Amino acid sequence: MAQELEGKVALVTGASQGLGRQFAKTLAGAGATIVVASRRIDALDELAAEITSDGGTAYAVRLDVTDVASIDAAVDTAIERAGAIDILVNNAGLTVNRLIRDTTPEDFDLVMDTNVRGAFFVAKRVAAHMGERGGGKIVNLSSILADFVMPGVSAYCMSKTAVSQMTRAMALEWARKNIQVNALAPGFVDTAINAEFFESPAGQQIIGRFPGQALQQPENLDSALLLLVSSQSDHMTGLTLRVDDGQGLGAFQAARPRPTD
Ligand code: NAD
């Protein structure tokens, strides 16, 4: 797969840390020019410099996905600086961890505005450009929690189910534009979004029930990402590809010794 993406430009949202940062570096390693976009321009500048010093090409662009004017401006700037966008990794996202009884309208709106509305309008703007260019690849970040629920993250779970359904709708509407739209649905990965929970006793207990008894690491998603952005997936569209190390298989098993124990 090395250099498979030579000549392509990838826009990665929410790239200042966590999965977005890993995705940007992985795509750069495969030869793509990268535009990293998020709210913290200092962190993005650092990442762009790191990619450049590793021999790649990267640009940093400020983006707040909750603001459609910011989305349109960031996409225009990305196209102006990098020349085009062939690949979108629609990664920016967040959670508010509250039980339903404690969830405020503001909590709910923040999660939906970022994870659903934000991703929708980023993809809409980028797809218009891709359509004019003859095609492209869009990867939306869904989650294992599109299919399962946990207490305390209801709005997040709902938002990720919406991302998977949004992916199918976009895939259908943009198929004739040669734009493949798929969702990548990680299991629980070791990043800032869930660090506090997984350090708690309840989080540790859940990790103990995963078949692999561990969180995933961001680089465990590399091969699935590379598949979804390369020509190898030209006949795959509208899918939600779960890459969870079997966490979904074991999350709800009773707390008893594993068969191999
Ligand atoms: P993270 O908190 O480390 O990173 C989230 C990124 O999104 C940050 O760069 C943040 O600045 C950016 N972001 C948030 N709001 C934004 C906004 N309004 N505008 C622009 N950028 C914004 O979390 P992560 O684990 O790297 O999450 C990345 C994506 O992967 C998210 O969509 C998340 O839901 C999804 N995901 C994560 C996991 C996991 O276990 N870590 C599992 C499944 C899915």
Side-chain angles (χ1 to χ4, degrees):
M1 193 69 79
Q3 304 311 306
E4 153 94 7
L5 302 178
E6 198 78 55
K8 303 284 186 193
V9 178
L11 170 64
V12 183
T13 70
S16 59
Q17 62 182 47
L19 294 181
R21 186 181 163 82
Q22 173 71 24
F23 293 153
K25 294 183 75 166
T26 300
L27 297 178
T33 292
I34 309 298
V35 182
V36 285
S38 202
R39 293 164 301 180
R40 286 186 296 132
I41 200 75
D42 51 336
L44 296 176
D45 282 339
E46 255 174 53
L47 173 59
E50 202 176 310
I51 290 173
T52 307
S53 80
D54 288 345
T57 307
Y59 304 95
V61 173
R62 197 183 173 282
L63 165 69
D64 180 348
V65 300
T66 61
D67 175 0
V68 174
S70 169
I71 292 172
D72 291 348
V75 172
D76 286 349
T77 306
I79 294 167
E80 198 181 292
R81 296 181 70 185
I85 300 172
D86 303 290
I87 295 163
L88 166 65
V89 184
N90 216 352
N91 167 78
L94 52 69
T95 181
V96 173
N97 295 340
R98 299 234 162 88
L99 294 172
I100 293 170
R101 65 160 196 233
D102 300 324
T103 299
T104 66
E106 291 74 23
D107 297 333
F108 188 90
D109 288 350
L110 178 62
V111 173
M112 292 298 171
D113 284 354
T114 307
N115 298 0
V116 183
R117 185 176 180 272
F120 181 91
F121 285 104
V122 172
K124 177 191 165 187
R125 180 67 186 80
V126 172
H129 164 76
M130 288 174 168
E132 285 165 12
R133 279 174 57 74
K137 299 274 183 184
I138 297 178
V139 178
N140 297 319
L141 261 291
S142 182
S143 168
I144 187 174
L145 290 177
D147 294 325
F148 299 110
V149 285
M150 269 173 65
V153 280
S154 59
Y156 181 84
C157 295
M158 293 164 68
S159 77
K160 292 301 179 179
T161 306
V163 167
S164 288
Q165 187 70 320
M166 178 181 88
T167 298
R168 290 186 276 274
M170 289 177 172
L172 183 63
E173 290 202 15
W174 299 337
R176 290 197 187 161
K177 298 280 184 191
N178 190 31
I179 301 169
Q180 287 82 49
V181 188
N182 292 291
L184 180 58
F188 295 96
V189 189
D190 189 7
T191 69
I193 203 169
N194 54 30
E196 199 182 330
F197 173 70
F198 282 114
E199 279 159 16
S200 72
Q204 288 293 313
Q205 197 180 28
I206 288 180
I207 292 173
R209 292 186 190 184
F210 293 154
Q213 298 196 303
L215 292 173
Q216 293 179 281
Q217 295 303 314
E219 59 270 23
N220 298 149
L221 302 165
D222 284 356
S223 52
L225 175 75
L226 288 168
L227 170 67
L228 295 180
V229 302
S230 79
S231 57
Q232 307 287 326
S233 61
D234 280 354
H235 283 242
M236 297 166 64
T237 196
L239 300 178
T240 292
L241 180 58
R242 197 158 88 210
V243 181
D244 71 348
D245 192 31
Q247 289 174 4
L249 305 174
F252 307 104
Q253 70 191 352
R256 60 173 181 240
R258 293 187 300 160
T260 49
D261 289 343

